Amino acid sequence: MMLPSSQAIEELIGEQFVDWVLDHVSLEVNSWPEIAVIAGVTPKPERIKKFVLQYFLVQQAFFGGRDTDPGFLGFAIANLSESADPTAESALEILEKRKQEELAGGKHAVWIKFLNALGVSDEEIRRAEPKEPIRNYVSELSDVYSNSDWQSSVGAYVAHDRSLSEEYKTIKEMLKRTTQLSEGDLQLFGEQMNVSHILDKIAFDNESKQLVWNGVRRQLAARHDLHKGLIKYLNH
């Protein structure tokens, strides 16, 4: 049984607290009714395309999209860069490395390969526009990553990647059941992200743990609201 957040912040330190955060995120994501819908729905091909194209735009918001958009990751890097707290330095190095990997062609290229395999053309990808659920999500999380205490920004980052790992498992199973895509086509959804080390040096004092939890909580709330809006693309 999971400890309530107040008790976890008070009693758990270091690796214990980090493990609690990761377990909490996994349990919450898998409790969302929308995840259960994805696990059981058998949508038509056009519905699947619409859903994954919007989902792609959500992920683009994390790394940075068109033009000069820095994305949530860029906002988090800027936030940590402004901190005079030496504890922020190790977290900043991890985020900067992740951004550099993406600029080298990481996730975006894999997403394009997957969308093409699903039958989404490059022109359809270029013309895709984020709908209201995504716009609301971007607005909420831009504030979290840009304007929160840096520990909250890091907490949101950890919750994002952990929730994504859980979502990917369910989406991959849905795609395997409803499409003819190969395991290679679905490699994007087989990734398991482990970002817990970013919390290694900030999971000891209660104030920092509370700030981390604030970021986790806001990330999960925004992510759940997002799924409430996106699920309609598979349901109708």
Side-chain angles (χ1 to χ4, degrees):
M1 184 175 179
M2 288 291 293
L3 294 176
S5 59
S6 58
Q7 187 177 353
I9 290 167
E10 184 68 30
E11 297 180 3
L12 304 180
I13 62 171
E15 187 177 343
Q16 290 178 321
F17 180 74
V18 174
D19 287 345
W20 176 85
V21 167
L22 298 178
D23 288 344
H24 176 89
V25 173
S26 294
L27 286 170
E28 178 158 333
V29 169
N30 286 303
S31 74
W32 295 342
E34 296 75 21
I35 296 298
V37 170
I38 295 171
V41 72
T42 306
K44 295 179 179 178
E46 285 306 312
R47 289 283 171 198
I48 296 174
K49 288 182 183 180
K50 289 180 179 179
F51 174 77
V52 297
L53 198 48
Q54 288 296 303
Y55 202 86
F56 162 70
L57 295 177
V58 174
Q59 297 315 109
Q60 199 173 48
F62 184 79
F63 289 108
R66 298 156 181 168
D67 304 321
T68 57
D69 176 17
F72 299 149
L73 191 55
F75 289 141
I77 288 170
N79 190 336
L80 268 70
S81 297
E82 293 172 0
S83 174
D85 186 344
T87 313
E89 292 180 8
S90 61
L92 178 60
E93 289 176 4
I94 293 170
L95 293 184
E96 288 179 330
K97 181 180 179 182
R98 179 103 186 258
K99 186 71 174 180
Q100 290 167 2
E101 289 171 351
E102 176 56 24
L103 290 174
K107 294 290 189 300
H108 182 79
V110 178
W111 263 101
I112 299 302
K113 178 183 176 183
F114 160 70
L115 289 168
N116 289 162
L118 190 62
V120 182
S121 69
D122 290 339
E123 178 62 23
E124 288 175 303
I125 296 170
R126 281 192 295 270
R127 288 191 288 106
E129 294 291 340
K131 303 301 183 183
E132 184 177 2
I134 298 179
R135 294 196 296 270
N136 292 340
Y137 177 75
V138 168
S139 176
E140 169 66 15
L141 289 184
S142 294
D143 181 63
V144 174
Y145 286 103
S146 297
N147 300 322
S148 298
D149 292 280
W150 71 265
Q151 296 94 331
S152 294
S153 186
V154 168
Y157 168 81
V158 169
H160 169 273
D161 272 14
R162 184 67 166 197
S163 64
L164 204 61
S165 290
E166 298 298 335
E167 293 168 30
Y168 274 5
K169 294 175 189 175
T170 305
I171 292 172
K172 181 178 181 179
E173 289 306 310
M174 183 270 289
L175 292 169
K176 287 173 66 175
R177 191 179 68 251
T178 58
T179 72
Q180 299 299 312
L181 294 175
S182 69
E183 194 67 29
D185 294 330
L186 296 172
Q187 71 174 84
L188 169 70
F189 298 99
E191 297 180 359
Q192 296 300 309
M193 300 157 198
N194 181 11
V195 296
S196 60
H197 55 292
I198 200 171
L199 294 177
D200 284 350
K201 296 184 179 180
I202 56 175
F204 292 93
D205 67 276
N206 286 3
E207 181 181 0
S208 292
K209 287 185 286 183
Q210 182 63 61
L211 291 172
V212 167
W213 170 245
N214 290 344
V216 170
R217 178 179 52 79
R218 290 185 66 182
Q219 171 72 47
L220 285 172
R223 195 81 185 175
H224 191 191
D225 285 344
L226 171 71
H227 276 276
K228 291 176 184 177
L230 292 185
I231 201 67
K232 67 183 180 182
Y233 294 104
L234 291 177
N235 260 345
H236 298 92

